[in-house]
Amino acid sequence: MAQIHVDEKLLNKIKKWKEGDPPIKTYKRGSAIAEDFVGHTISVHNGKDFISVYVRPEMVGHKLGEFAPTRKFIKHGGQKEAVIG
């Protein structure tokens, strides 16, 4: 059975978090999402900015980094539309 890694410092911050506090910021993209994270907003660093991630029950077991993409898709090239007129 594969083991999942939940960062202990992040888990402790979640347990100490109180209603009205700002979202918890973290660089720990490889940390798995535990059941204690559900209902909290965590700001995950994507290499440039912090992306706010609201944790829902179906996210448990996934990694934080899966929900904070590191690359921005702009658009593929291709043929431009013909301008009529």
Side-chain angles (χ1 to χ4, degrees), residues 8-52:
E8 288 185 39
K9 287 184 181 180
L10 182 60
L11 188 59
N12 289 335
K13 285 182 182 181
I14 290 287
K15 289 180 180 179
K16 292 178 184 177
W17 189 86
K18 296 180 182 80
E19 190 67 35
D21 287 349
I24 295 169
K25 290 185 175 183
T26 185
Y27 292 90
K28 307 286 185 179
R29 297 175 53 84
S31 177
I33 298 173
E35 292 180 4
D36 294 337
F37 293 14
V38 175
H40 291 89
T41 301
I42 301 173
S43 294
V44 183
H45 198 260
N46 71 349
K48 182 179 179 184
D49 299 316
F50 284 95
I51 307 296
S52 293

Side-chain angles (χ1 to χ4, degrees), residues 63-83:
K63 306 284 183 181
L64 284 172
E66 293 180 43
F67 304 102
T70 57
R71 293 182 176 92
K72 180 179 173 185
F73 176 74
I74 296 173
K75 184 172 137 178
H76 287 293
Q79 295 180 350
K80 295 183 179 181
E81 289 186 29
V83 178

